[in-house]
PDB file of all heavy atoms in Angstrom:
ATOM      1  N   ALA G 288       3.142   6.380   7.572  1.00  0.00           N
ATOM      2  CA  ALA G 288       4.560   6.016   7.722  1.00  0.00           C
ATOM      3  C   ALA G 288       4.746   4.511   7.550  1.00  0.00           C
ATOM      4  O   ALA G 288       5.687   4.066   6.875  1.00  0.00           O
ATOM      5  CB  ALA G 288       5.080   6.469   9.089  1.00  0.00           C
ATOM      6  N   LEU G 289       3.844   3.723   8.119  1.00  0.00           N
ATOM      7  CA  LEU G 289       3.924   2.267   7.972  1.00  0.00           C
ATOM      8  C   LEU G 289       3.720   1.837   6.522  1.00  0.00           C
ATOM      9  O   LEU G 289       4.375   0.903   6.049  1.00  0.00           O
ATOM     10  CB  LEU G 289       2.891   1.589   8.880  1.00  0.00           C
ATOM     11  CG  LEU G 289       3.202   1.644  10.376  1.00  0.00           C
ATOM     12  CD1 LEU G 289       1.970   1.306  11.198  1.00  0.00           C
ATOM     13  CD2 LEU G 289       4.354   0.726  10.718  1.00  0.00           C
ATOM     14  N   ALA G 290       2.834   2.535   5.820  1.00  0.00           N
ATOM     15  CA  ALA G 290       2.613   2.225   4.404  1.00  0.00           C
ATOM     16  C   ALA G 290       3.870   2.501   3.579  1.00  0.00           C
ATOM     17  O   ALA G 290       4.217   1.736   2.678  1.00  0.00           O
ATOM     18  CB  ALA G 290       1.435   3.039   3.863  1.00  0.00           C
ATOM     19  N   VAL G 291       4.556   3.584   3.909  1.00  0.00           N
ATOM     20  CA  VAL G 291       5.797   3.923   3.201  1.00  0.00           C
ATOM     21  C   VAL G 291       6.884   2.896   3.519  1.00  0.00           C
ATOM     22  O   VAL G 291       7.558   2.386   2.620  1.00  0.00           O
ATOM     23  CB  VAL G 291       6.258   5.355   3.560  1.00  0.00           C
ATOM     24  CG1 VAL G 291       7.659   5.633   3.042  1.00  0.00           C
ATOM     25  CG2 VAL G 291       5.264   6.383   3.018  1.00  0.00           C
ATOM     26  N   ILE G 292       7.031   2.582   4.805  1.00  0.00           N
ATOM     27  CA  ILE G 292       8.071   1.625   5.208  1.00  0.00           C
ATOM     28  C   ILE G 292       7.802   0.240   4.611  1.00  0.00           C
ATOM     29  O   ILE G 292       8.716  -0.449   4.175  1.00  0.00           O
ATOM     30  CB  ILE G 292       8.168   1.551   6.747  1.00  0.00           C
ATOM     31  CG1 ILE G 292       8.683   2.877   7.312  1.00  0.00           C
ATOM     32  CG2 ILE G 292       9.067   0.397   7.188  1.00  0.00           C
ATOM     33  CD1 ILE G 292       8.567   2.991   8.827  1.00  0.00           C
ATOM     34  N   GLY G 293       6.542  -0.159   4.596  1.00  0.00           N
ATOM     35  CA  GLY G 293       6.196  -1.487   4.112  1.00  0.00           C
ATOM     36  C   GLY G 293       5.834  -1.557   2.642  1.00  0.00           C
ATOM     37  O   GLY G 293       5.307  -2.571   2.165  1.00  0.00           O
ATOM     38  N   TRP G 294       6.100  -0.472   1.898  1.00  0.00           N
ATOM     39  CA  TRP G 294       5.701  -0.389   0.497  1.00  0.00           C
ATOM     40  C   TRP G 294       6.260  -1.532  -0.357  1.00  0.00           C
ATOM     41  O   TRP G 294       5.516  -2.171  -1.112  1.00  0.00           O
ATOM     42  CB  TRP G 294       6.102   0.963  -0.088  1.00  0.00           C
ATOM     43  CG  TRP G 294       5.728   1.090  -1.531  1.00  0.00           C
ATOM     44  CD1 TRP G 294       6.568   1.057  -2.593  1.00  0.00           C
ATOM     45  CD2 TRP G 294       4.408   1.254  -2.057  1.00  0.00           C
ATOM     46  NE1 TRP G 294       5.855   1.198  -3.767  1.00  0.00           N
ATOM     47  CE2 TRP G 294       4.528   1.318  -3.459  1.00  0.00           C
ATOM     48  CE3 TRP G 294       3.145   1.350  -1.487  1.00  0.00           C
ATOM     49  CZ2 TRP G 294       3.426   1.469  -4.293  1.00  0.00           C
ATOM     50  CZ3 TRP G 294       2.057   1.502  -2.313  1.00  0.00           C
ATOM     51  CH2 TRP G 294       2.193   1.561  -3.704  1.00  0.00           C
ATOM     52  N   ASP G 295       7.544  -1.792  -0.251  1.00  0.00           N
ATOM     53  CA  ASP G 295       8.161  -2.826  -1.087  1.00  0.00           C
ATOM     54  C   ASP G 295       7.521  -4.194  -0.858  1.00  0.00           C
ATOM     55  O   ASP G 295       7.255  -4.936  -1.804  1.00  0.00           O
ATOM     56  CB  ASP G 295       9.674  -2.902  -0.842  1.00  0.00           C
ATOM     57  CG  ASP G 295      10.406  -1.681  -1.376  1.00  0.00           C
ATOM     58  OD1 ASP G 295       9.865  -1.018  -2.286  1.00  0.00           O
ATOM     59  OD2 ASP G 295      11.504  -1.386  -0.878  1.00  0.00           O
ATOM     60  N   GLU G 296       7.253  -4.516   0.400  1.00  0.00           N
ATOM     61  CA  GLU G 296       6.622  -5.801   0.708  1.00  0.00           C
ATOM     62  C   GLU G 296       5.187  -5.853   0.185  1.00  0.00           C
ATOM     63  O   GLU G 296       4.736  -6.876  -0.337  1.00  0.00           O
ATOM     64  CB  GLU G 296       6.634  -6.053   2.211  1.00  0.00           C
ATOM     65  CG  GLU G 296       6.108  -7.425   2.589  1.00  0.00           C
ATOM     66  CD  GLU G 296       6.189  -7.697   4.079  1.00  0.00           C
ATOM     67  OE1 GLU G 296       6.982  -7.039   4.778  1.00  0.00           O
ATOM     68  OE2 GLU G 296       5.456  -8.578   4.533  1.00  0.00           O
ATOM     69  N   ALA G 297       4.458  -4.741   0.313  1.00  0.00           N
ATOM     70  CA  ALA G 297       3.081  -4.690  -0.192  1.00  0.00           C
ATOM     71  C   ALA G 297       3.045  -4.851  -1.704  1.00  0.00           C
ATOM     72  O   ALA G 297       2.193  -5.557  -2.243  1.00  0.00           O
ATOM     73  CB  ALA G 297       2.421  -3.368   0.221  1.00  0.00           C
ATOM     74  N   VAL G 298       3.975  -4.210  -2.392  1.00  0.00           N
ATOM     75  CA  VAL G 298       4.054  -4.320  -3.850  1.00  0.00           C
ATOM     76  C   VAL G 298       4.416  -5.750  -4.253  1.00  0.00           C
ATOM     77  O   VAL G 298       3.843  -6.314  -5.195  1.00  0.00           O
ATOM     78  CB  VAL G 298       5.066  -3.296  -4.426  1.00  0.00           C
ATOM     79  CG1 VAL G 298       5.365  -3.582  -5.891  1.00  0.00           C
ATOM     80  CG2 VAL G 298       4.535  -1.883  -4.256  1.00  0.00           C
ATOM     81  N   ALA G 299       5.343  -6.363  -3.533  1.00  0.00           N
ATOM     82  CA  ALA G 299       5.739  -7.736  -3.836  1.00  0.00           C
ATOM     83  C   ALA G 299       4.579  -8.707  -3.628  1.00  0.00           C
ATOM     84  O   ALA G 299       4.449  -9.698  -4.345  1.00  0.00           O
ATOM     85  CB  ALA G 299       6.927  -8.140  -2.975  1.00  0.00           C
ATOM     86  N   THR G 300       3.724  -8.405  -2.672  1.00  0.00           N
ATOM     87  CA  THR G 300       2.594  -9.284  -2.362  1.00  0.00           C
ATOM     88  C   THR G 300       1.444  -9.122  -3.351  1.00  0.00           C
ATOM     89  O   THR G 300       0.895 -10.106  -3.832  1.00  0.00           O
ATOM     90  CB  THR G 300       2.072  -9.013  -0.937  1.00  0.00           C
ATOM     91  OG1 THR G 300       3.143  -9.210  -0.026  1.00  0.00           O
ATOM     92  CG2 THR G 300       0.917  -9.921  -0.584  1.00  0.00           C
ATOM     93  N   GLY G 301       1.066  -7.866  -3.659  1.00  0.00           N
ATOM     94  CA  GLY G 301      -0.140  -7.656  -4.466  1.00  0.00           C
ATOM     95  C   GLY G 301       0.032  -6.806  -5.696  1.00  0.00           C
ATOM     96  O   GLY G 301      -0.934  -6.580  -6.426  1.00  0.00           O
ATOM     97  N   GLY G 302       1.217  -6.271  -5.914  1.00  0.00           N
ATOM     98  CA  GLY G 302       1.431  -5.395  -7.055  1.00  0.00           C
ATOM     99  C   GLY G 302       1.246  -3.934  -6.681  1.00  0.00           C
ATOM    100  O   GLY G 302       0.653  -3.609  -5.654  1.00  0.00           O
ATOM    101  N   VAL G 303       1.747  -3.087  -7.545  1.00  0.00           N
ATOM    102  CA  VAL G 303       1.732  -1.638  -7.278  1.00  0.00           C
ATOM    103  C   VAL G 303       0.312  -1.103  -7.182  1.00  0.00           C
ATOM    104  O   VAL G 303      -0.024  -0.354  -6.259  1.00  0.00           O
ATOM    105  CB  VAL G 303       2.516  -0.879  -8.377  1.00  0.00           C
ATOM    106  CG1 VAL G 303       2.384   0.624  -8.186  1.00  0.00           C
ATOM    107  CG2 VAL G 303       3.969  -1.286  -8.377  1.00  0.00           C
ATOM    108  N   VAL G 304      -0.540  -1.486  -8.122  1.00  0.00           N
ATOM    109  CA  VAL G 304      -1.899  -0.933  -8.159  1.00  0.00           C
ATOM    110  C   VAL G 304      -2.672  -1.324  -6.909  1.00  0.00           C
ATOM    111  O   VAL G 304      -3.283  -0.470  -6.258  1.00  0.00           O
ATOM    112  CB  VAL G 304      -2.641  -1.387  -9.439  1.00  0.00           C
ATOM    113  CG1 VAL G 304      -4.091  -0.946  -9.401  1.00  0.00           C
ATOM    114  CG2 VAL G 304      -1.944  -0.834 -10.670  1.00  0.00           C
ATOM    115  N   LEU G 305      -2.650  -2.592  -6.568  1.00  0.00           N
ATOM    116  CA  LEU G 305      -3.382  -3.047  -5.389  1.00  0.00           C
ATOM    117  C   LEU G 305      -2.848  -2.382  -4.121  1.00  0.00           C
ATOM    118  O   LEU G 305      -3.626  -1.917  -3.280  1.00  0.00           O
ATOM    119  CB  LEU G 305      -3.313  -4.564  -5.260  1.00  0.00           C
ATOM    120  CG  LEU G 305      -4.094  -5.155  -4.083  1.00  0.00           C
ATOM    121  CD1 LEU G 305      -5.587  -4.843  -4.228  1.00  0.00           C
ATOM    122  CD2 LEU G 305      -3.863  -6.648  -3.984  1.00  0.00           C
ATOM    123  N   ALA G 306      -1.533  -2.310  -3.973  1.00  0.00           N
ATOM    124  CA  ALA G 306      -0.933  -1.684  -2.795  1.00  0.00           C
ATOM    125  C   ALA G 306      -1.344  -0.215  -2.693  1.00  0.00           C
ATOM    126  O   ALA G 306      -1.717   0.259  -1.613  1.00  0.00           O
ATOM    127  CB  ALA G 306       0.589  -1.811  -2.845  1.00  0.00           C
ATOM    128  N   ALA G 307      -1.298   0.489  -3.814  1.00  0.00           N
ATOM    129  CA  ALA G 307      -1.662   1.908  -3.810  1.00  0.00           C
ATOM    130  C   ALA G 307      -3.147   2.101  -3.505  1.00  0.00           C
ATOM    131  O   ALA G 307      -3.513   2.941  -2.675  1.00  0.00           O
ATOM    132  CB  ALA G 307      -1.309   2.543  -5.155  1.00  0.00           C
ATOM    133  N   VAL G 308      -3.989   1.324  -4.159  1.00  0.00           N
ATOM    134  CA  VAL G 308      -5.437   1.474  -3.964  1.00  0.00           C
ATOM    135  C   VAL G 308      -5.824   1.159  -2.522  1.00  0.00           C
ATOM    136  O   VAL G 308      -6.574   1.920  -1.902  1.00  0.00           O
ATOM    137  CB  VAL G 308      -6.220   0.596  -4.968  1.00  0.00           C
ATOM    138  CG1 VAL G 308      -7.694   0.515  -4.593  1.00  0.00           C
ATOM    139  CG2 VAL G 308      -6.054   1.132  -6.381  1.00  0.00           C
ATOM    140  N   VAL G 309      -5.333   0.059  -1.991  1.00  0.00           N
ATOM    141  CA  VAL G 309      -5.673  -0.314  -0.616  1.00  0.00           C
ATOM    142  C   VAL G 309      -5.231   0.769   0.361  1.00  0.00           C
ATOM    143  O   VAL G 309      -6.001   1.198   1.225  1.00  0.00           O
ATOM    144  CB  VAL G 309      -5.070  -1.686  -0.245  1.00  0.00           C
ATOM    145  CG1 VAL G 309      -5.167  -1.943   1.258  1.00  0.00           C
ATOM    146  CG2 VAL G 309      -5.760  -2.795  -1.021  1.00  0.00           C
ATOM    147  N   ASN G 310      -3.993   1.250   0.223  1.00  0.00           N
ATOM    148  CA  ASN G 310      -3.502   2.289   1.132  1.00  0.00           C
ATOM    149  C   ASN G 310      -4.296   3.577   1.016  1.00  0.00           C
ATOM    150  O   ASN G 310      -4.699   4.162   2.023  1.00  0.00           O
ATOM    151  CB  ASN G 310      -2.008   2.553   0.897  1.00  0.00           C
ATOM    152  CG  ASN G 310      -1.135   1.519   1.544  1.00  0.00           C
ATOM    153  OD1 ASN G 310      -1.281   1.228   2.725  1.00  0.00           O
ATOM    154  ND2 ASN G 310      -0.226   0.939   0.784  1.00  0.00           N
ATOM    155  N   VAL G 311      -4.543   4.020  -0.196  1.00  0.00           N
ATOM    156  CA  VAL G 311      -5.273   5.281  -0.394  1.00  0.00           C
ATOM    157  C   VAL G 311      -6.709   5.162   0.116  1.00  0.00           C
ATOM    158  O   VAL G 311      -7.208   6.061   0.797  1.00  0.00           O
ATOM    159  CB  VAL G 311      -5.241   5.710  -1.880  1.00  0.00           C
ATOM    160  CG1 VAL G 311      -6.228   6.821  -2.151  1.00  0.00           C
ATOM    161  CG2 VAL G 311      -3.833   6.138  -2.270  1.00  0.00           C
ATOM    162  N   VAL G 312      -7.360   4.052  -0.189  1.00  0.00           N
ATOM    163  CA  VAL G 312      -8.754   3.878   0.241  1.00  0.00           C
ATOM    164  C   VAL G 312      -8.853   3.788   1.759  1.00  0.00           C
ATOM    165  O   VAL G 312      -9.667   4.485   2.377  1.00  0.00           O
ATOM    166  CB  VAL G 312      -9.386   2.642  -0.441  1.00  0.00           C
ATOM    167  CG1 VAL G 312     -10.721   2.277   0.191  1.00  0.00           C
ATOM    168  CG2 VAL G 312      -9.559   2.896  -1.933  1.00  0.00           C
ATOM    169  N   VAL G 313      -8.034   2.948   2.376  1.00  0.00           N
ATOM    170  CA  VAL G 313      -8.107   2.780   3.835  1.00  0.00           C
ATOM    171  C   VAL G 313      -7.770   4.085   4.556  1.00  0.00           C
ATOM    172  O   VAL G 313      -8.505   4.522   5.448  1.00  0.00           O
ATOM    173  CB  VAL G 313      -7.188   1.633   4.304  1.00  0.00           C
ATOM    174  CG1 VAL G 313      -7.047   1.631   5.823  1.00  0.00           C
ATOM    175  CG2 VAL G 313      -7.716   0.300   3.818  1.00  0.00           C
ATOM    176  N   ILE G 314      -6.689   4.717   4.162  1.00  0.00           N
ATOM    177  CA  ILE G 314      -6.287   5.971   4.816  1.00  0.00           C
ATOM    178  C   ILE G 314      -7.302   7.075   4.523  1.00  0.00           C
ATOM    179  O   ILE G 314      -7.677   7.835   5.410  1.00  0.00           O
ATOM    180  CB  ILE G 314      -4.859   6.369   4.398  1.00  0.00           C
ATOM    181  CG1 ILE G 314      -3.864   5.352   4.974  1.00  0.00           C
ATOM    182  CG2 ILE G 314      -4.518   7.778   4.860  1.00  0.00           C
ATOM    183  CD1 ILE G 314      -2.465   5.431   4.397  1.00  0.00           C
ATOM    184  N   GLY G 315      -7.773   7.147   3.288  1.00  0.00           N
ATOM    185  CA  GLY G 315      -8.752   8.167   2.914  1.00  0.00           C
ATOM    186  C   GLY G 315     -10.065   8.020   3.657  1.00  0.00           C
ATOM    187  O   GLY G 315     -10.620   8.998   4.180  1.00  0.00           O
ATOM    188  N   ILE G 316     -10.585   6.803   3.723  1.00  0.00           N
ATOM    189  CA  ILE G 316     -11.846   6.574   4.440  1.00  0.00           C
ATOM    190  C   ILE G 316     -11.681   6.880   5.922  1.00  0.00           C
ATOM    191  O   ILE G 316     -12.541   7.516   6.532  1.00  0.00           O
ATOM    192  CB  ILE G 316     -12.352   5.133   4.213  1.00  0.00           C
ATOM    193  CG1 ILE G 316     -12.873   4.991   2.780  1.00  0.00           C
ATOM    194  CG2 ILE G 316     -13.429   4.753   5.226  1.00  0.00           C
ATOM    195  CD1 ILE G 316     -13.244   3.576   2.387  1.00  0.00           C
TER     196      ILE G 316
END
C-alpha cells in the first residue's frame, strides 16, 4: 500500500524502472 501511495514520488526520484525493480525485489524477497 505504501509503494502504491508513494509511487509518483519514487518515480520522480529514480524513474519507473528503478522504482518498480526496488519495490518488486524488496517485497518479493
Side-chain angles (χ1 to χ4, degrees):
L289 288 164
V291 170
I292 293 169
W294 179 253
D295 290 337
E296 185 177 339
V298 169
T300 302
V303 174
V304 174
L305 182 62
V308 168
V309 168
N310 281 309
V311 168
V312 169
V313 169
I314 292 167
I316 288 173

